[in-house]
Amino acid sequence: MTQPIGVAIVGSGLFAREQHLPAALTNDLIILRALYSRSLKSAQETASTITDHPQPDLYSEDSPSQKFSDLLTRTDIQAFIIALPIVSQPAFIEAALSAGKHVLAEKPIAKDVATARNLISHYQNLPTPLNGVKPVFAVAENYRFMPRFIYAAEQVASLGKVTHFSAKIMSLMKDENKYYKTSWREKPEYQGGFLLDGGVHHAAATRLFLRGTQNTPVSVRALTAQVQKHLPPIDTVSAVVRTAGGAIGTYYHSAGTLMNSLEWDIACEKGTVKSSGDVVTVKRVGEEKGEERTFEWTSGVKEEVRVWVESILEGRGVDGMQSAEEALGDLEFLERMFTSGERGGEEERYELQTVGVER
């Protein structure tokens, strides 16, 4: 029988509290041993929501003796789930990996491609442990574990080369939204604002549909804008993406509009796939009516946490859907759009989109 591993959650923000904490507590392969937050008050508030499991030990920077550096020395904790603000997170990831801890880090992997590359280089250059097994470094992207996106991607792959595609994600991030009311989001020190923070999910979903050598994105032209004053530096991007096979697709994302949409349309040689909310519609060439499937909503977090833990316990290394290189591809997909927007729509070339294209 597989023995569960000791895990610490690093970060006590909303997403960690509402998603990672339940995912850890309900996973029979995990023993949650510790919680860390910058402040002890925040760690205590998160721990107070645990009512039917043993209380984890609490660590914080304002604790007299139980700080992050102390957490790193715990031999009964083998793995960290890290969910911290985008700019500060890489330093914690590096420290955990250097201490030999397995890591599942929240998306995006870093604030920009350069920082992400440095982080990956740090991991690759870690000395090989005496047992010959390096810690697993995974980046969380729950959209890649949502059943509706997995199904839609499988259908796209069965219909031949992509000929056209459209991603349309439109909504309004209001200033009273609970996810907005954090200082690091109100005044972001990273590119794209919510177009990166939340938009990296939509980039991941779009790239999931563009698997295969011919479907790999190779270039982009984009325009960007800030429509809402409370959403700096930009809240809207409109991009045209070209694939290696010559397909042209559009990627529209706005966090600052009264429009409401969560849709992907993919046309292939042998049919079309449409993902709209929780409904996926597949229509093959020659069919008068498409096949429609409705999926029960799930965040995908419990699924991604289980895959990460199983990859550790089975000794098979990081799952491809959670690799740092895959997360780097998501980041580059957006960064090139933002750069093109800054340059008035000049073409930007992609270099990091080929990871996992054949999966």
Side-chain angles (χ1 to χ4, degrees), residues 39 90 96 100 121 128 137 161 164 176 182 206 211 250 256 265 267 303 320 337:
S39 71
S121 178
T128 303
F137 175 28
K161 187 180 77 171
H164 301 86
E176 67 262 27
T182 51
T206 304
R211 299 294 179 180
T250 55
D265 284 281
E303 292 86 346
M337 292 181 190

PDB file of all heavy atoms in Angstrom, residues 39 90 96 100 121 128 137 161 164 176 182 206 211 250 256 265 267 303 320 337:
ATOM      1  N   SER A  39       1.862  36.408   6.998  1.00  0.00           N
ATOM      2  CA  SER A  39       1.451  36.797   8.350  1.00  0.00           C
ATOM      3  C   SER A  39       0.820  35.623   9.079  1.00  0.00           C
ATOM      4  O   SER A  39       0.144  34.791   8.463  1.00  0.00           O
ATOM      5  CB  SER A  39       0.451  37.958   8.297  1.00  0.00           C
ATOM      6  OG  SER A  39      -0.791  37.523   7.805  1.00  0.00           O
ATOM      7  N   PRO A  90       8.728  33.015  -7.448  1.00  0.00           N
ATOM      8  CA  PRO A  90       9.912  32.272  -7.900  1.00  0.00           C
ATOM      9  C   PRO A  90      10.978  32.053  -6.833  1.00  0.00           C
ATOM     10  O   PRO A  90      11.603  30.991  -6.796  1.00  0.00           O
ATOM     11  CB  PRO A  90      10.441  33.137  -9.056  1.00  0.00           C
ATOM     12  CG  PRO A  90       9.215  33.774  -9.623  1.00  0.00           C
ATOM     13  CD  PRO A  90       8.376  34.088  -8.414  1.00  0.00           C
ATOM     14  N   ALA A  96      12.598  26.027  -2.172  1.00  0.00           N
ATOM     15  CA  ALA A  96      12.020  24.707  -1.908  1.00  0.00           C
ATOM     16  C   ALA A  96      12.727  23.631  -2.721  1.00  0.00           C
ATOM     17  O   ALA A  96      13.066  22.559  -2.201  1.00  0.00           O
ATOM     18  CB  ALA A  96      10.528  24.721  -2.221  1.00  0.00           C
ATOM     19  N   GLY A 100      15.361  20.248  -1.734  1.00  0.00           N
ATOM     20  CA  GLY A 100      14.996  18.884  -2.108  1.00  0.00           C
ATOM     21  C   GLY A 100      13.514  18.587  -2.030  1.00  0.00           C
ATOM     22  O   GLY A 100      13.108  17.417  -2.066  1.00  0.00           O
ATOM     23  N   SER A 121      16.303  27.145 -15.364  1.00  0.00           N
ATOM     24  CA  SER A 121      17.747  26.901 -15.355  1.00  0.00           C
ATOM     25  C   SER A 121      18.231  26.546 -13.949  1.00  0.00           C
ATOM     26  O   SER A 121      19.064  25.640 -13.778  1.00  0.00           O
ATOM     27  CB  SER A 121      18.490  28.133 -15.871  1.00  0.00           C
ATOM     28  OG  SER A 121      19.886  27.947 -15.820  1.00  0.00           O
ATOM     29  N   THR A 128      22.583  16.601  -8.420  1.00  0.00           N
ATOM     30  CA  THR A 128      21.823  15.357  -8.322  1.00  0.00           C
ATOM     31  C   THR A 128      21.922  14.806  -6.906  1.00  0.00           C
ATOM     32  O   THR A 128      23.021  14.661  -6.372  1.00  0.00           O
ATOM     33  CB  THR A 128      22.371  14.315  -9.306  1.00  0.00           C
ATOM     34  OG1 THR A 128      22.317  14.853 -10.626  1.00  0.00           O
ATOM     35  CG2 THR A 128      21.547  13.040  -9.254  1.00  0.00           C
ATOM     36  N   PHE A 137       9.342  19.198 -10.138  1.00  0.00           N
ATOM     37  CA  PHE A 137       8.931  20.597 -10.254  1.00  0.00           C
ATOM     38  C   PHE A 137       7.776  20.670 -11.240  1.00  0.00           C
ATOM     39  O   PHE A 137       7.954  20.493 -12.440  1.00  0.00           O
ATOM     40  CB  PHE A 137      10.095  21.457 -10.711  1.00  0.00           C
ATOM     41  CG  PHE A 137       9.744  22.902 -10.983  1.00  0.00           C
ATOM     42  CD1 PHE A 137       8.692  23.528 -10.317  1.00  0.00           C
ATOM     43  CD2 PHE A 137      10.485  23.646 -11.895  1.00  0.00           C
ATOM     44  CE1 PHE A 137       8.376  24.855 -10.572  1.00  0.00           C
ATOM     45  CE2 PHE A 137      10.181  24.973 -12.151  1.00  0.00           C
ATOM     46  CZ  PHE A 137       9.116  25.578 -11.495  1.00  0.00           C
ATOM     47  N   LYS A 161      -6.002  18.568 -39.392  1.00  0.00           N
ATOM     48  CA  LYS A 161      -5.314  19.841 -39.175  1.00  0.00           C
ATOM     49  C   LYS A 161      -6.306  20.961 -38.875  1.00  0.00           C
ATOM     50  O   LYS A 161      -7.385  21.031 -39.467  1.00  0.00           O
ATOM     51  CB  LYS A 161      -4.485  20.202 -40.407  1.00  0.00           C
ATOM     52  CG  LYS A 161      -3.601  21.432 -40.229  1.00  0.00           C
ATOM     53  CD  LYS A 161      -2.810  21.754 -41.482  1.00  0.00           C
ATOM     54  CE  LYS A 161      -3.667  22.431 -42.531  1.00  0.00           C
ATOM     55  NZ  LYS A 161      -2.875  22.944 -43.675  1.00  0.00           N
ATOM     56  N   HIS A 164      -8.921  27.008 -38.889  1.00  0.00           N
ATOM     57  CA  HIS A 164      -9.269  28.301 -38.304  1.00  0.00           C
ATOM     58  C   HIS A 164      -9.559  28.085 -36.819  1.00  0.00           C
ATOM     59  O   HIS A 164      -9.961  26.990 -36.421  1.00  0.00           O
ATOM     60  CB  HIS A 164     -10.518  28.925 -38.948  1.00  0.00           C
ATOM     61  CG  HIS A 164     -10.398  29.164 -40.412  1.00  0.00           C
ATOM     62  ND1 HIS A 164     -10.686  28.184 -41.341  1.00  0.00           N
ATOM     63  CD2 HIS A 164     -10.015  30.261 -41.110  1.00  0.00           C
ATOM     64  CE1 HIS A 164     -10.482  28.671 -42.555  1.00  0.00           C
ATOM     65  NE2 HIS A 164     -10.078  29.926 -42.446  1.00  0.00           N
ATOM     66  N   GLU A 176     -14.880  45.443  -6.831  1.00  0.00           N
ATOM     67  CA  GLU A 176     -15.326  44.832  -5.573  1.00  0.00           C
ATOM     68  C   GLU A 176     -15.176  43.315  -5.576  1.00  0.00           C
ATOM     69  O   GLU A 176     -15.483  42.646  -4.583  1.00  0.00           O
ATOM     70  CB  GLU A 176     -16.781  45.202  -5.266  1.00  0.00           C
ATOM     71  CG  GLU A 176     -17.819  44.622  -6.227  1.00  0.00           C
ATOM     72  CD  GLU A 176     -18.234  45.609  -7.300  1.00  0.00           C
ATOM     73  OE1 GLU A 176     -17.409  46.485  -7.622  1.00  0.00           O
ATOM     74  OE2 GLU A 176     -19.363  45.508  -7.806  1.00  0.00           O
ATOM     75  N   THR A 182      -6.739  42.514  -3.591  1.00  0.00           N
ATOM     76  CA  THR A 182      -5.430  42.211  -3.015  1.00  0.00           C
ATOM     77  C   THR A 182      -4.471  43.266  -3.557  1.00  0.00           C
ATOM     78  O   THR A 182      -4.547  43.639  -4.736  1.00  0.00           O
ATOM     79  CB  THR A 182      -4.943  40.807  -3.407  1.00  0.00           C
ATOM     80  OG1 THR A 182      -5.039  40.652  -4.830  1.00  0.00           O
ATOM     81  CG2 THR A 182      -5.786  39.734  -2.741  1.00  0.00           C
ATOM     82  N   THR A 206      -6.293  27.373 -25.059  1.00  0.00           N
ATOM     83  CA  THR A 206      -6.109  27.580 -26.498  1.00  0.00           C
ATOM     84  C   THR A 206      -4.978  26.704 -27.023  1.00  0.00           C
ATOM     85  O   THR A 206      -5.107  26.048 -28.064  1.00  0.00           O
ATOM     86  CB  THR A 206      -5.802  29.056 -26.787  1.00  0.00           C
ATOM     87  OG1 THR A 206      -6.854  29.876 -26.245  1.00  0.00           O
ATOM     88  CG2 THR A 206      -5.700  29.313 -28.288  1.00  0.00           C
ATOM     89  N   ARG A 211      -2.497  21.350 -30.626  1.00  0.00           N
ATOM     90  CA  ARG A 211      -1.468  20.316 -30.587  1.00  0.00           C
ATOM     91  C   ARG A 211      -1.172  19.824 -31.999  1.00  0.00           C
ATOM     92  O   ARG A 211      -2.001  19.937 -32.895  1.00  0.00           O
ATOM     93  CB  ARG A 211      -1.935  19.143 -29.720  1.00  0.00           C
ATOM     94  CG  ARG A 211      -2.202  19.519 -28.275  1.00  0.00           C
ATOM     95  CD  ARG A 211      -0.939  19.934 -27.575  1.00  0.00           C
ATOM     96  NE  ARG A 211      -1.197  20.312 -26.201  1.00  0.00           N
ATOM     97  CZ  ARG A 211      -0.260  20.714 -25.358  1.00  0.00           C
ATOM     98  NH1 ARG A 211       0.983  20.802 -25.754  1.00  0.00           N
ATOM     99  NH2 ARG A 211      -0.560  21.053 -24.121  1.00  0.00           N
ATOM    100  N   THR A 250      -7.936  33.840 -34.061  1.00  0.00           N
ATOM    101  CA  THR A 250      -8.058  35.062 -33.274  1.00  0.00           C
ATOM    102  C   THR A 250      -8.135  34.727 -31.795  1.00  0.00           C
ATOM    103  O   THR A 250      -8.702  33.697 -31.401  1.00  0.00           O
ATOM    104  CB  THR A 250      -9.304  35.860 -33.679  1.00  0.00           C
ATOM    105  OG1 THR A 250     -10.468  35.020 -33.571  1.00  0.00           O
ATOM    106  CG2 THR A 250      -9.177  36.378 -35.096  1.00  0.00           C
ATOM    107  N   GLY A 256     -12.207  43.900 -19.043  1.00  0.00           N
ATOM    108  CA  GLY A 256     -12.755  45.226 -18.796  1.00  0.00           C
ATOM    109  C   GLY A 256     -13.949  45.584 -19.643  1.00  0.00           C
ATOM    110  O   GLY A 256     -14.159  46.744 -19.985  1.00  0.00           O
ATOM    111  N   ASP A 265     -13.861  28.278 -30.667  1.00  0.00           N
ATOM    112  CA  ASP A 265     -14.340  27.638 -31.897  1.00  0.00           C
ATOM    113  C   ASP A 265     -13.132  27.179 -32.691  1.00  0.00           C
ATOM    114  O   ASP A 265     -12.231  27.992 -32.968  1.00  0.00           O
ATOM    115  CB  ASP A 265     -15.172  28.612 -32.738  1.00  0.00           C
ATOM    116  CG  ASP A 265     -16.554  28.830 -32.175  1.00  0.00           C
ATOM    117  OD1 ASP A 265     -17.419  27.961 -32.386  1.00  0.00           O
ATOM    118  OD2 ASP A 265     -16.773  29.860 -31.513  1.00  0.00           O
ATOM    119  N   ALA A 267     -12.078  25.095 -36.198  1.00  0.00           N
ATOM    120  CA  ALA A 267     -12.435  24.427 -37.452  1.00  0.00           C
ATOM    121  C   ALA A 267     -11.250  23.596 -37.911  1.00  0.00           C
ATOM    122  O   ALA A 267     -10.112  24.073 -37.930  1.00  0.00           O
ATOM    123  CB  ALA A 267     -12.795  25.457 -38.516  1.00  0.00           C
ATOM    124  N   GLU A 303      -7.954  17.322  -9.437  1.00  0.00           N
ATOM    125  CA  GLU A 303      -7.376  16.406 -10.419  1.00  0.00           C
ATOM    126  C   GLU A 303      -5.887  16.678 -10.618  1.00  0.00           C
ATOM    127  O   GLU A 303      -5.077  15.754 -10.677  1.00  0.00           O
ATOM    128  CB  GLU A 303      -8.118  16.543 -11.755  1.00  0.00           C
ATOM    129  CG  GLU A 303      -9.557  16.037 -11.730  1.00  0.00           C
ATOM    130  CD  GLU A 303     -10.570  17.079 -11.256  1.00  0.00           C
ATOM    131  OE1 GLU A 303     -10.153  18.113 -10.695  1.00  0.00           O
ATOM    132  OE2 GLU A 303     -11.784  16.851 -11.446  1.00  0.00           O
ATOM    133  N   GLY A 320       3.586  15.601 -18.168  1.00  0.00           N
ATOM    134  CA  GLY A 320       3.799  16.570 -19.240  1.00  0.00           C
ATOM    135  C   GLY A 320       2.898  17.770 -19.171  1.00  0.00           C
ATOM    136  O   GLY A 320       3.303  18.893 -19.527  1.00  0.00           O
ATOM    137  N   MET A 337       1.999  38.615 -27.353  1.00  0.00           N
ATOM    138  CA  MET A 337       0.852  39.468 -27.657  1.00  0.00           C
ATOM    139  C   MET A 337       1.016  40.837 -27.009  1.00  0.00           C
ATOM    140  O   MET A 337       0.777  41.880 -27.629  1.00  0.00           O
ATOM    141  CB  MET A 337      -0.442  38.820 -27.155  1.00  0.00           C
ATOM    142  CG  MET A 337      -0.848  37.570 -27.886  1.00  0.00           C
ATOM    143  SD  MET A 337      -2.400  36.901 -27.215  1.00  0.00           S
ATOM    144  CE  MET A 337      -2.465  35.316 -28.048  1.00  0.00           C
TER     145      MET A 337
END
